[in-house]
Amino acid sequence: MKIGLFIPCYIDAFYPNTGVATLELLEKLGQDVEYPLGQTCCGQPMANSGCNSDAAAAEALFVKNFAKYDAIVMPSGSCAHHVKDNFDAIPQTDEVKHVRENTYELVEFLHDVLKVEEFPWAEFPHKVGLHNSCGTLRALRTASMSELGEPFFSKPMDLLNKVKGISFATPRRPDECCGFGGTFSVTEEAVSARMGLDKVRDHHDAGAEYIVSADTSCMMHQQGCAERGGVPIRFIHIAEILNGARA
């Protein structure tokens, strides 16, 4: 299987260690991975802002870069959700359908496709609070939704439980939105900031040293809220823990 690695623009710009960890992790697991150098944005920011037609050029370039791969993997639930479910600013050719049907967020790829059973190099002796973004939780369904009262399952927690030394904090409202929502954090700044502060306080009060997530976009928002609110908590992407980061 030939994998095309997509690193979202905000990770490339602000959190490159997450991108590096994703590549290293996939290679440790024996995967044949390429990083197309012509990649840019998947088009999600335009589509989320209601400017769907403006996403066409980005979506077309994404297909040009990734149509040749058996699987497209990315360390971002929101970007994966866009490609899989909202990638419709361009004609739905066979190439586009192939890309949409074979795009995976990193956790679902590790859990559902590779079915990884161990990460022998990984050890993280810290208590973490798991944040599932709305995209991973309610669109990609990588975990159960508490508001539905359905039986519990969590693909990211299944993977993290294979890491030596890790323990989990349980916030009171684990599935509540953190308030990021892309441009929602700009157009509804006050509401977004309060939601983010409530979220990080909930994790901190539960004893979490770190908030871990498959979505750096949510953590970017929460980190800003924590710093401004004086909440002493750290943030790390799940790829970094699974790749062997200690702190």
Side-chain angles (χ1 to χ4, degrees), residues 46-244:
M46 290 76 83
N48 283 0
S49 300
C51 305
N52 196 53
S53 61
D54 292 337
E59 292 183 3
L61 181 60
F62 188 95
V63 172
K64 179 180 178 181
N65 279 303
F66 289 100
K68 67 179 181 180
Y69 296 105
D70 301 308
I72 302 100
V73 179
M74 56 192 71
S76 168
S78 59
C79 291
H81 170 41
H82 174 68
V83 175
K84 291 162 76 81
D85 300 322
N86 299 311
F87 209 68
D88 55 11
I90 54 178
Q92 299 300 292
T93 64
D94 289 342
E95 280 192 334
V96 173
K97 291 176 182 177
H98 169 79
V99 166
R100 296 182 67 173
E101 291 168 1
N102 292 281
T103 287
Y104 300 93
E105 181 268 324
L106 178 64
V107 166
E108 62 176 353
F109 185 74
L110 298 177
H111 188 278
D112 299 346
V113 180
L114 296 186
K115 303 183 187 301
V116 180
E117 290 298 329
E118 60 178 355
F119 301 93
W121 52 79
E123 180 177 354
F124 198 72
H126 301 281
K127 180 172 280 191
V128 305
L130 175 63
H131 171 71
N132 293 310
S133 70
C134 294
T136 57
L137 188 66
R138 298 178 174 92
L140 301 182
R141 297 307 318 272
T142 60
S144 54
M145 295 188 285
S146 57
E147 64 265 31
L148 295 184
E150 60 188 350
F152 177 81
F153 70 91
S154 175
K155 297 176 185 180
M157 193 166 285
D158 285 349
L159 297 177
L160 289 169
N161 269 318
K162 304 179 192 304
V163 174
K164 182 180 178 181
I166 199 167
S167 59
F168 298 94
T170 305
R172 292 181 296 113
R173 303 186 304 277
D175 295 345
E176 187 171 271
C177 176
C178 72
F180 174 57
T183 52
F184 176 80
S185 63
V186 178
T187 59
E188 297 290 348
E189 177 186 356
V191 176
S192 172
R194 182 51 193 262
M195 291 173 70
L197 184 58
D198 286 349
K199 177 62 111 175
V200 296
R201 281 176 173 168
D202 195 14
H203 280 278
H204 176 262
D205 291 347
E209 301 170 64
Y210 284 84
I211 293 178
V212 58
S213 179
D215 267 293
T216 306
S217 52
C218 289
M219 291 196 295
M220 177 171 60
H221 171 66
Q222 292 177 44
Q223 183 176 2
C225 293
E227 290 175 354
R228 288 190 296 273
V231 181
I233 197 166
R234 291 172 284 181
F235 299 84
I236 189 167
H237 193 279
I238 191 171
E240 296 174 74
I241 295 179
L242 300 179
N243 189 48

Side-chain angles (χ1 to χ4, degrees), residues 1-4 26-27 30-34 69:
M1 178 167 50
K2 193 77 169 180
I3 297 172
L26 289 170
E27 290 181 337
Q31 300 306 299
D32 184 7
V33 186
E34 286 186 357
Y69 296 105

